[in-house]
């Protein structure tokens, strides 16, 4: 039997530990309020709207910036009669797409998922190489959702949870912006439907349901961002996540379509072994009973007439280009729904495309 003095000290230790924990939480909350700029994060707004539309969404777009800058849900819904949502995010890697898909499936009866497959994300060795891609989502995910914590653990282990508790480690505001930030937080920054803090005149603006309308034209031409390995056009990380997204859709009875938003033909031409990536994705789609649509190889330039001023940089559509692309995309969807083979809309190879129907960027310096 333990001495009475020891038994008396135990409640005091527990109380001190609880007080220390509470003080730590309060301190972190205060520092986060003072230092963290979550006001200007469009992923905060996107996830807020994703949750607000629970039970309504039947069509989901997933992927990186090539997703959220390319697919306009408002135009898709008007043309196809759907209730779509663009859950793209900056640098979104395929593991991020997987966890967002799980959240969307928990909250909606999805019919179709369009997975945008820009090649850089599918060539990472793991997601810890781009931790911000994870934090842009997990910082604003439902705090009661298991996906939030599974994704963090998978990306960064215990260290990632420190960033969850104290996000100023990765999104600290500039000192000169702090007074304006505090005022925003205390007034209308988090009001549903308020896009003023995620709008940058002449640069880009958030337009709802995940779509970001971008302005501008390529300032530096169409230089490539990486060379692809002809023997391994996707990494093991890319393949593993593509497979689990496919399996998740299959188990849920959801149609999965793999899509590459149109890249400038000049950019694709300068990307070493781009065709190897196309062939790998097309082969995977055929093996798994899926469709793969690479709009870089789109045949009909009268339906999708992309030029220099339809891109914001070397490989992203701007808002004008996104509206052109969304219209062409909807045409392909309607054709597929009518029983037509969507493959007829695309050339088999980049060489064929460049010879027969190059876009308005090919051959430009």
């Amino acid at each position: 039997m333990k001495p009475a003095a020891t038994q008396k000290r135990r409640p005091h230790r527990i109380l001190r530990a609880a007080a220390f924990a509470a003080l730590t939480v309060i301190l972190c909350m205060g520092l986060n309020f003072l230092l963290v700029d979550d006001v200007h994060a469009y992923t905060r707004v996107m996830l807020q709207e994703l949750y607000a539309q629970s039970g309504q969404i039947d069509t989901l777009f997933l992927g990186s910036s090539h997703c959220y800058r390319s697919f306009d849900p408002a135009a898709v819904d008007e043309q196809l009669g759907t209730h779509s949502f663009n859950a793209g995010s900056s640098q979104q890697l395929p593991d991020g797409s997987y966890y967002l898909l799980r959240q969307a499936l928990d909250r909606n009866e999805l019919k179709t998922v369009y997975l945008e497959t820009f090649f850089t994300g599918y060539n990472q060795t793991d997601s810890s190489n781009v931790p911000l891609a994870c934090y842009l989502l997990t910082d604003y995910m439902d705090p009661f959702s298991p996906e939030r914590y599974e994704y963090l653990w998978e990306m960064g282990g215990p260290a990632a949870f420190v960033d969850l508790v104290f996000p100023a480690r990765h999104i600290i505001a500039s000192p000169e912006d702090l007074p304006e930030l505090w005022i925003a937080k205390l007034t209308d920054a988090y009001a549903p439907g308020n896009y003023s803090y995620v709008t940058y005149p002449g640069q880009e603006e958030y337009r709802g349901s995940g779509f970001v309308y971008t302005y501008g034209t390529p300032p530096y031409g169409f230089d490539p961002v990486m060379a692809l390995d002809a023997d391994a056009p996707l990494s093991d990380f890319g393949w593993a996540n593509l497979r689990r997204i496919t399996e998740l859709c299959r188990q849920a009875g959801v149609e999965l379509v793999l899509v590459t938003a149109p890249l400038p033909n000049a950019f694709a031409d300068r990307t070493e072994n781009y065709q190897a990536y196309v062939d790998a994705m097309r082969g995977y789609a055929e093996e798994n009973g899926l469709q793969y649509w690479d709009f870089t190889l789109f045949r009909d330039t009268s339906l999708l007439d992309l030029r220099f001023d339809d891109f914001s940089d070397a490989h992203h559509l701007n808002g004008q280009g996104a509206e052109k692309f969304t219209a062409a995309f909807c045409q392909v969807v309607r054709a597929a729904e009518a029983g037509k083979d969507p493959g007829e809309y695309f050339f088999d190879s980049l060489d064929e495309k460049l010879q027969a129907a190059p876009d308005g960027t090919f051959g430009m310096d």
Side-chain angles (χ1 to χ4, degrees), residues 29-333:
M29 290 175 65
L31 288 173
N32 288 337
F33 174 84
L34 293 172
L35 301 177
V36 172
D37 184 2
D38 58 2
V39 167
H40 297 94
Y42 78 86
T43 49
R44 172 185 61 79
V45 182
M46 181 271 285
L47 284 166
Q48 184 182 44
E49 292 186 339
L50 178 67
Y51 299 142
Q53 295 179 35
S54 292
Q56 304 172 54
I57 300 167
D58 54 34
T59 302
L60 185 69
F61 298 96
L62 292 167
S64 66
S65 52
H66 294 83
C67 179
Y68 73 75
R69 295 186 185 189
S70 301
F71 299 94
D72 180 357
V76 169
D77 294 348
E78 181 180 356
Q79 297 181 51
L80 299 179
T82 53
H83 186 118
S84 63
F85 194 93
N86 191 328
S89 60
S90 184
Q91 297 182 296
Q92 186 179 117
L93 301 181
D95 57 348
S97 299
Y98 168 75
Y99 283 108
L100 280 174
L101 175 58
R102 279 179 50 182
Q103 291 216 323
L105 285 170
D106 285 344
R107 294 164 170 80
N108 301 277
E109 303 222 355
L110 297 180
K111 296 179 181 177
T112 310
V113 169
Y114 295 99
L115 180 65
E116 208 290 323
T117 55
F118 183 59
F119 57 79
T120 56
Y122 288 83
N123 275 278
Q124 294 292 332
T125 54
D126 60 65
S127 61
S128 64
N129 292 330
V130 194
L132 188 58
C134 174
Y135 296 138
L136 282 171
L137 297 172
T138 54
D139 282 351
Y140 312 111
M141 278 183 170
D142 177 357
F144 300 104
S145 64
E147 294 84 14
R148 186 190 202 200
Y149 305 103
E150 288 180 44
Y151 185 18
L152 276 169
W153 181 264
E154 185 176 292
M155 185 283 293
F161 285 84
V162 178
D163 287 293
L164 180 65
V165 174
F166 191 41
R169 282 164 48 101
H170 57 271
I171 51 171
I172 191 169
S174 300
E176 64 271 18
D177 296 331
L178 290 177
E180 182 182 349
L181 177 67
W182 299 335
I183 293 171
K185 288 187 174 187
L186 291 169
T187 55
D188 62 345
Y190 306 118
N194 181 7
Y195 301 157
S196 62
Y197 296 101
V198 286
T199 295
Y200 306 92
Q203 300 178 51
E204 63 182 34
E205 58 187 79
Y206 183 88
R207 291 198 172 180
S209 294
F211 177 55
V212 176
Y213 191 102
T214 310
Y215 296 90
T217 55
Y220 305 115
F222 299 101
D223 289 339
V225 294
M226 65 177 290
L228 292 162
D229 185 339
D231 297 321
L234 281 77
S235 65
D236 291 342
F237 168 81
W239 282 123
N241 281 284
L242 183 58
R243 292 188 187 101
R244 68 175 176 172
I245 290 171
T246 303
E247 182 58 27
L248 184 58
C249 287
R250 183 177 291 122
Q251 291 175 356
V254 173
E255 180 184 12
L256 174 65
V257 180
L258 310 179
V259 183
T260 297
L263 301 169
N265 282 181
F267 173 83
D269 183 49
R270 296 173 186 179
T271 298
E272 187 176 347
N273 297 316
Y274 183 78
Q275 187 62 43
Y277 186 78
V278 172
D279 292 342
M281 294 299 291
R282 187 173 285 150
Y284 177 85
E286 291 175 356
E287 290 171 9
N288 289 274
L290 308 176
Q291 291 286 331
Y292 173 61
W293 304 342
D294 186 343
F295 280 84
T296 311
L297 309 182
F298 199 68
R299 287 180 176 273
D300 191 347
T301 53
S302 65
L303 183 58
L304 183 57
D305 180 22
L306 293 176
R307 302 177 180 276
F308 176 87
D309 60 358
D310 292 313
F311 294 91
S312 63
D313 59 26
H315 50 89
H316 289 99
L317 291 167
N318 60 25
Q320 173 180 287
E323 298 303 350
K324 288 184 178 182
F325 162 62
T326 299
F329 167 80
C330 289
Q331 176 63 35
V332 176
V333 173

